[in-house]
Amino acid sequence: VAVAQSGPIPDAAPRAENVARLVAMLRRAAGGGADVVVFTECALSAFFPHWTLDHPASIDEYCERSMPNPDVEPLFAEAKRLGVGFCLGYAELAEDEPGHIRHYNTCVLVDGHGSVVGKYRKTHLPGYYVPDHDPAGHVYQNLEKRYFDVGDLGWQCFEAFGMRVGMMICNDRRWAEPWRVLGLQGAECVMLGYNTPTVGVTGVVTEPTHLGMFQNHLSMQAGAYQNSTWVCAAAKAGKEEGVYQMGGSCIIAPTGEIVAQATTGETQTLRRCIVLARLYYWCTVLTT
Ligand code: ING
């Protein structure tokens, strides 16, 4: 498996450019022997819940109405050509029932033939319905409760790449339930992406800096160990539209040990050969 840590995505970046960057990381990971690449949460755009959109309708322009679709076709085509699968996070506009529009923070699992074999919609939506201000007037921004509906698919395991794969998204990792529900289904590899700010748009530290990375890894290492599963976590890192987001992408073994970790705050590909014989493993970190 490989984990593709994303650098910041400018809000003005055209979708095609963002997809091309994912294709490049997929190629790099495949070149190193990966069978599956884990991309981050909302990997196709800047993480727009970090700011207030001028009107709710504008959220739709950040959303995919189907997956795959013409915009992401280059990624699906290259994955199929290389025989490599991927886990992709994106904002979803769904109309599961006619006239009932819903917005979800979603990820899909795609096998080496370019087929969607699993889907998950984020359950734990952090942040606020409206921007929150502290007495000094600083604006705290994570408006996922404002923009997304609570996921309705639950946590499921999918057979892919010779293992039982589970998915969760960002804030989910901080709660015991997602790990346990997947663990009870025999998950062998949990894939997830995250957008985690350390300093917000107004320069406000969203939490004591030493806690940010500690709690990020604590939640995933505990989840891995307590459920005896591998964890592959991909960050969106760097200063994105004024918000500093932590990196720390990593691959964690069922022992709870971090066996590969990003060392930069930018785009970086990690790769890990998981021998499900659980005897030996090796890792290299490619910094791009
Ligand atoms: N982001 C953050 C997460 O990593 C957050 C929200 C930030 C929680 C800082 C706690 C501290 O959970 C998303 N997108 O969930």
Side-chain angles (χ1 to χ4, degrees):
V1 293
V3 164
Q5 173 169 293
S6 167
I9 299 179
D11 187 34
R15 187 61 52 85
E17 192 178 292
N18 298 339
V19 172
R21 205 164 42 81
L22 299 180
V23 171
M25 286 199 275
L26 183 98
R27 276 198 194 115
R28 185 175 191 80
D35 297 312
V36 54
V37 185
V38 181
F39 293 117
T40 191
E41 173 190 29
C42 288
L44 298 174
S45 71
F47 194 64
F48 56 88
H50 281 158
W51 61 86
T52 310
L53 299 174
D54 43 15
H55 51 82
S58 58
I59 182 181
D60 291 1
E61 70 194 46
Y62 289 93
C63 294
E64 309 305 315
R65 286 154 177 73
S66 62
M67 187 55 70
N69 64 53
D71 284 348
V72 297
E73 189 48 38
L75 179 63
F76 277 74
E78 185 65 1
K80 193 171 178 179
R81 187 182 74 83
L82 295 169
V84 174
F86 57 90
C87 177
L88 177 73
Y90 63 97
E92 177 189 11
L93 186 153
E95 193 168 357
D96 294 347
E97 304 137 37
H100 289 263
I101 298 289
R102 294 282 186 276
H103 297 88
Y104 296 108
N105 187 340
T106 299
C107 62
V108 286
L109 186 64
V110 178
D111 70 12
H113 307 290
S115 304
V116 174
V117 294
K119 183 172 183 177
Y120 170 69
R121 290 166 171 167
K122 185 175 182 178
T123 310
H124 294 85
L125 299 172
Y128 309 96
Y129 293 92
V130 294
D132 193 13
H133 301 72
D134 68 4
H138 292 130
V139 176
Y140 292 96
Q141 294 277 56
N142 183 320
L143 298 172
E144 291 187 62
K145 286 187 169 73
R146 176 177 173 148
Y147 297 138
F148 293 125
D149 294 286
V150 173
D152 57 355
L153 301 178
W155 296 286
Q156 305 168 59
C157 281
F158 306 97
E159 290 294 339
F161 317 106
M163 52 190 180
R164 287 177 69 71
V165 179
M167 293 183 283
M168 60 177 78
I169 298 177
C170 204
N171 197 259
D172 286 327
R173 74 192 186 286
R174 298 177 187 274
W175 309 91
E177 289 78 6
W179 295 105
R180 199 65 197 131
V181 169
L182 291 173
L184 290 173
Q185 296 174 63
E188 293 180 298
C189 184
V190 173
M191 300 179 178
L192 66 97
Y194 59 91
N195 287 265
T196 304
T198 53
V199 178
V201 280
T202 54
V204 175
V205 175
T206 49
E207 57 187 353
T209 40
H210 75 280
L211 278 185
M213 193 60 80
F214 169 70
Q215 290 173 344
N216 175 37
H217 288 153
L218 171 69
S219 52
M220 299 189 289
Q221 288 180 266
Y225 174 60
Q226 291 175 341
N227 296 284
S228 204
T229 176
W230 289 87
V231 177
C232 299
K236 171 95 74 54
K239 184 177 179 181
E240 181 178 270
E241 297 299 328
V243 179
Y244 284 90
Q245 300 193 157
M246 71 169 68
S249 303
C250 58
I251 297 172
I252 300 169
T255 56
E257 296 164 285
I258 295 176
V259 293
Q261 182 174 338
T263 53
T264 69
E266 296 298 330
T267 299
Q268 186 173 353
T269 306
L270 315 179
R271 202 175 61 242
R272 189 98 190 80
C273 173
I274 288 183
V275 179
L276 285 182
R278 301 157 184 81
L279 293 179
Y280 299 100
Y281 45 73
W282 52 269
C283 74
T284 56
V285 174
L286 296 175
T287 301
T288 54

